[in-house]
């Protein structure tokens, strides 16, 4: 029984499961300490000697070498408020188009900015390409951003949305800066960029790859 627990633990790398399974299957609960010791020892030998467990060996033979256990994709369990850039610079909807064009012409300006009303609610997003188009078309004199922008197709994410959903929006729309809106107040509380998504994934993978045995 103890040998069976050790084999299961070493092959599947699940020492607690192997020990409890063997004891429950046979009813010899008095042998639990010895079963645990065998399971932990077999697990240690398996980790130090073998590159992977039997659970991933078949996948490895197909050319996908997995050197660590499976983990949850950080894009699936992290929320937008966890990785967003809080309190982003926003442009008021009452800003004249001419002033917005001059703003994008300044050194260090971002490619796009959320446009908000007097209550901080999202009205749209003004981008550098919009500013160029306004210059080409000749925007109406005295027109404001709220008058020339349309929020009909503007993607946004809630602060509680999984960042995987916002990443899908970036792929579908080609927009790399998504405003994040508070679900209670409908105010813009942050902005999520491709860099924020990559940073979240990098942090997770770094934590996994740098763990000591």
């Amino acid at each position: 029984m103890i040998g069976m627990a050790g084999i299961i633990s070493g092959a599947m790398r699940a020492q607690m499961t192997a020990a409890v399974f063997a004891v429950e299957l046979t009813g010899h609960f008095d042998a639990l300490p010895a079963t645990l010791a065998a399971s932990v020892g077999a697990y240690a030998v398996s980790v130090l000697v073998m590159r992977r467990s039997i659970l991933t060996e078949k996948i490895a033979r197909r050319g996908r070498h997995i050197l660590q256990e499976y983990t949850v994709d950080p894009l699936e369990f992290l929320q937008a408020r966890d990785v967003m850039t809080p309190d982003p610079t926003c442009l008021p909807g009452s800003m004249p188009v001419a002033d917005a064009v001059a703003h994008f012409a300044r050194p260090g300006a971002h490619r796009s900015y959320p446009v908000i009303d007097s209550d901080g609610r999202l009205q749209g997003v003004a981008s550098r390409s919009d500013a160029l188009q306004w210059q080409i078309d000749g925007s109406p004199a005295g027109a404001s951003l709220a008058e020339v922008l349309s929020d009909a197709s503007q993607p946004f994410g809630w602060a509680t949305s999984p960042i995987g959903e916002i990443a899908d929006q970036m792929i579908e729309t080609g927009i790399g800066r998504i405003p994040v809106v508070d679900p209670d107040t409908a105010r813009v509380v942050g902005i999520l960029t491709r860099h924020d998504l990559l940073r979240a994934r990098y942090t997770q993978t770094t934590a996994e790859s740098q763990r000591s045995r």
Side-chain angles (χ1 to χ4, degrees), residues 51-68 70 201:
R51 297 184 61 188
R52 57 187 66 86
S53 70
I54 194 174
L55 301 178
T56 58
E57 181 64 29
K58 189 173 183 180
I59 300 177
R61 292 178 181 179
R62 296 177 180 176
R64 299 182 179 271
H65 297 282
I66 300 175
L67 302 181
Q68 59 191 30
Y70 290 110
R201 193 176 188 88

Side-chain angles (χ1 to χ4, degrees), residues 106-192:
R106 295 188 308 175
H110 295 296
R111 292 187 175 183
S112 61
Y113 292 90
V115 179
I116 58 176
D117 60 12
S118 57
D119 295 327
R121 292 176 295 189
L122 182 67
Q123 291 184 308
V125 172
S127 64
R128 188 175 300 167
S129 60
D130 293 331
L132 293 175
Q133 192 65 41
W134 295 332
Q135 287 181 304
I136 295 173
D137 297 341
S139 58
S144 64
L145 289 178
E147 296 172 350
V148 298
L149 286 177
S150 174
D151 62 350
S153 59
Q154 171 56 46
F156 70 92
W158 302 111
T160 54
S161 299
I163 59 177
E165 295 181 2
I166 301 181
D168 293 338
Q169 292 186 23
M170 291 182 180
I171 300 267
E172 294 172 357
T173 61
I175 298 176
R177 292 170 60 86
I178 305 295
V180 180
V181 178
D182 185 87
D184 298 325
T185 62
R187 300 182 61 183
V188 176
V189 294
I191 195 165
L192 196 63

Side-chain angles (χ1 to χ4, degrees), residues 1 12 20 60 68 85 98 120 134 179 201 210:
M1 182 192 70
M12 301 182 61
V20 174
Q68 59 191 30
T85 301
W134 295 332
R201 193 176 188 88
Q210 292 185 355

Side-chain angles (χ1 to χ4, degrees), residues 30-61:
D30 55 332
L32 181 60
T35 307
L36 279 173
S39 299
V40 173
Y43 173 80
V45 172
S46 174
V47 170
L48 293 175
V49 175
M50 300 175 61
R51 297 184 61 188
R52 57 187 66 86
S53 70
I54 194 174
L55 301 178
T56 58
E57 181 64 29
K58 189 173 183 180
I59 300 177
R61 292 178 181 179

Side-chain angles (χ1 to χ4, degrees), residues 73-86:
D73 190 342
L75 299 184
E76 297 300 329
F77 74 90
L78 288 178
Q79 296 180 340
R81 61 188 176 190
D82 298 327
V83 298
M84 70 180 185
T85 301

